[in-house]
Amino acid sequence: MVRPNRWTAPTSRPARVAAVGTALSLTALLSGCGLLDGSSGADESAAEGGGQVEKSDIKIGYNPIIDVAPIFYADENGYFADEGLNVSTERTTSGAEAIASLAGGSLDFTYGSHVAFMAAQASGVADLKIVGDAYTALEDNVAIMTVPGSGVEKPEDLADVSIGINAERSLADLLSISAMTSNGVDVAYEDVNWQQMAMPDLPTALADGHIKAALLPEPFLTQAAMQHGAFKVLDAAEGPTAEWPLGGYVVSADFAEENPKTVAAFQRALVRASEALVDQGELEQILPEVAGIDEDIVSVLNFGAFPTTLEAERIQRVATLMSQFSFIEEPIDVEDMIVPLPED
């Protein structure tokens, strides 16, 4: 469910958000979670899958964020076990680390930003296959935010101020520059005053005046609005980036070739969980442990969507936008990277 546009001005926050106050705990958000740290606890005989998968014990790289909720839900509800998979996880700190772990064999699957995957593929750093589409940004799910007194009142003001992002040449600045240019902000990427810092630090830096605007996804968007009166300058998931594919799951090309039944089993469990999480009540129940979001705040977040299909055309938009803004030098045909979902 997509909620109404709540962050358009500092006085537009509804009473129920104000009542929650500062309930969001970013310390918990970054502390990881227990559902998939180590063995999933699946019965060993089920994990063997009757010989139906080439590799029953798989390790998945993840970040403790909303995007990966289906993986946790699938494990908690036995979807992986039903497919003969015994899942463990390893928390990764960046797309580069996750991709390196795939190449080294310490991970079998990993979640990550499609931007990171496209950059690695285009540069030849890795040969990746996309096996799942993780999360889609919808309205009010990710936005360029500011605070009262920043001097930023309209999109055009962004051309001359510092903008906080969590990393350069990443999803954050790609969405930001696209939103700015599509809304008539006359500025080149290299002329923007990008300020890189850890995502949890951005709301405070915004409030303290160290930056004048910041690209914030949920739950940081809501945290900034509640704690610091932040409001939206530009929605980063509208226009050219409407219903934007934020991240997905990949394996190495070698793994995909050698373990097609294992990949198909993973895909079936992922889709099954993504279908279940259309029920927002189910999602809200699992997020406190998945992403460390306080139970009192989770119901006021603006959620994206969990895709149940894997469409090259949709993810191609990421590669195309990266080419447009020179994030990659060589174009990518995403169709070549896709492992189609099993038909059964």
Side-chain angles (χ1 to χ4, degrees):
M1 178 178 71
V2 182
R3 294 185 175 82
N5 183 344
R6 297 178 288 139
W7 310 131
T8 54
T11 58
S12 67
R13 291 174 291 143
R16 71 187 184 114
V17 174
V20 179
T22 60
L24 181 62
S25 170
L26 290 179
T27 301
L29 179 68
L30 296 177
S31 66
C33 43
L35 283 177
L36 288 180
D37 289 341
S39 172
S40 67
D43 181 83
E44 287 301 320
S45 61
E48 290 300 322
Q52 296 303 303
V53 295
E54 300 88 357
K55 185 175 184 180
S56 58
D57 294 327
I58 62 169
K59 181 172 284 188
I60 305 171
Y62 78 103
N63 294 327
I65 56 178
I66 295 170
D67 308 32
V68 300
I71 295 299
F72 291 81
Y73 191 87
D75 185 69
E76 188 176 66
N77 289 277
Y79 298 168
F80 285 125
D82 289 346
E83 295 290 344
L85 298 176
N86 181 44
V87 170
S88 62
T89 63
E90 180 175 308
R91 182 173 168 181
T92 60
T93 59
S94 68
E97 178 193 342
I99 292 166
S101 295
L102 279 182
S106 61
L107 290 178
D108 301 306
F109 297 76
T110 192
Y111 164 82
S113 160
H114 284 304
V115 172
F117 297 151
M118 297 299 135
Q121 190 76 12
S123 66
V125 167
D127 188 4
L128 303 174
K129 295 297 181 182
I130 302 170
V131 298
D133 202 358
Y135 199 51
T136 298
L138 300 177
E139 183 181 359
D140 288 333
N141 179 235
V142 56
I144 300 177
M145 304 286 285
T146 192
V147 291
S150 68
V152 178
E153 298 179 355
K154 56 187 183 301
E156 291 81 359
D157 296 331
L158 295 169
D160 302 314
V161 301
S162 54
I163 301 176
I165 54 174
N166 66 315
E168 291 190 24
R169 298 289 172 177
S170 71
L171 175 64
D173 48 359
L174 182 65
L175 286 178
S176 296
I177 193 64
S178 176
M180 291 163 66
T181 56
S182 65
N183 281 274
V185 181
D186 186 16
V187 64
Y189 175 90
E190 57 272 14
D191 294 329
V192 177
N193 183 11
W194 304 111
Q195 294 294 312
Q196 181 176 322
M197 60 188 71
M199 184 66 72
D201 296 334
L202 288 172
T204 300
L206 195 59
D208 291 345
H210 296 307
I211 53 177
K212 300 300 183 181
L215 190 285
L216 298 176
E218 289 285 28
F220 302 99
L221 186 155
T222 292
Q223 180 226 0
M226 294 190 328
Q227 295 184 357
H228 308 300
F231 61 97
K232 181 174 68 175
V233 183
L234 283 176
D235 197 312
E238 64 181 15
T241 51
E243 299 184 12
W244 190 253
L246 293 173
Y249 298 91
V250 296
V251 298
S252 69
D254 287 344
F255 186 92
E257 182 178 358
E258 296 168 5
N259 302 278
K261 293 180 181 179
T262 302
V263 169
F266 171 89
Q267 291 175 314
R268 284 190 294 267
L270 176 65
V271 169
R272 187 178 173 189
S274 296
E275 290 173 341
L277 289 178
V278 170
D279 183 339
Q280 187 164 312
E282 292 290 306
L283 178 59
E284 290 178 3
Q285 286 183 30
I286 198 171
L287 280 182
E289 188 164 3
V290 171
I293 303 172
D294 193 279
E295 293 179 359
D296 292 331
I297 193 72
V298 69
S299 64
V300 300
L301 300 179
N302 283 313
F303 294 117
F306 300 103
T308 57
T309 60
L310 182 55
E311 303 170 9
E313 182 178 0
R314 205 175 89 84
I315 302 173
Q316 183 67 52
R317 297 167 62 200
V318 179
T320 300
L321 199 66
M322 290 175 71
S323 292
Q324 177 183 338
F325 289 105
S326 301
F327 276 46
I328 54 177
E329 295 181 3
E330 298 295 330
I332 295 176
D333 185 351
V334 172
E335 184 73 44
D336 295 337
M337 297 178 65
I338 296 288
V339 176
L341 297 180
E343 295 181 0
D344 57 319

